[in-house]
Amino acid sequence: LEHLEGKTVDVLADGFVSPPQTVTRGCITLPNAATRVHVGLNYSSTIMPLEPQIVLQTGSTLGKTKRISRVFLQFYNSNGMQAGTKQGAMESVAVPDDILDGRPALYSGDVAMEFEGGFVDSAQVVIQQDEPLPMTVLGYSMQLEIGER
């Protein structure tokens, strides 16, 4: 790890997220023995799809206030994700805490999340991964309430 000398790195050891480590003399010290270790610089992956514009009998949702009350997310082999609205706080996406072969299992399937909050001009969903874990989003949909201006 000489190329990361002095840097703080994220560590995934046998499928478990370990505390961040600082590279010293090209090495890090793991808190527990592990056979498969991934080490790298931290980064966040953020998905913010465009706000949907829906044509209703009363006209377009463009220019109307909106509130996201529920989001449905579809994941493949993922764990450690967060989701929220553009204006709201991020929440951990609850997936089963299964252990497979002594490692946390990656989740494939659908998740529904409820969101609190008021009506806003721009209603967008944000999906994020801050941990050194995989995240593959196959799709999403939302329950959107439309207000008046």
Side-chain angles (χ1 to χ4, degrees), residues 16-129:
F16 292 93
V17 177
S18 290
Q21 301 283 325
T22 301
V23 178
T24 306
R25 286 184 243 129
C27 298
I28 59 171
T29 303
L30 298 177
N32 299 305
T35 55
R36 180 176 236 163
V37 180
H38 299 272
V39 178
L41 297 173
N42 177 279
Y43 65 92
S44 292
S45 297
T46 303
I47 299 170
M48 189 166 29
L50 294 173
E51 178 181 356
Q53 299 300 324
I54 305 164
V55 178
L56 307 169
Q57 288 180 349
T58 58
S60 171
T61 58
L62 185 64
K64 295 186 179 185
T65 58
K66 302 157 210 68
R67 183 176 97 77
I68 300 171
S69 55
R70 179 181 271 187
V71 173
F72 302 92
L73 302 163
Q74 187 177 38
F75 293 102
Y76 175 75
N77 282 349
S78 303
N79 206 336
M81 304 78 60
Q82 297 179 317
T85 61
K86 184 177 174 183
Q87 293 80 13
M90 300 296 282
E91 299 176 26
S92 292
V93 176
V95 297
D97 283 339
D98 294 339
I99 301 292
L100 184 65
D101 298 330
R103 297 182 182 149
L106 298 177
Y107 179 74
S108 293
D110 300 335
V111 176
M113 296 181 73
E114 304 280 335
F115 291 123
E116 300 294 326
F119 285 84
V120 294
D121 291 331
S122 176
Q124 285 184 285
V125 173
V126 180
I127 308 160
Q128 190 168 335
Q129 176 63 280

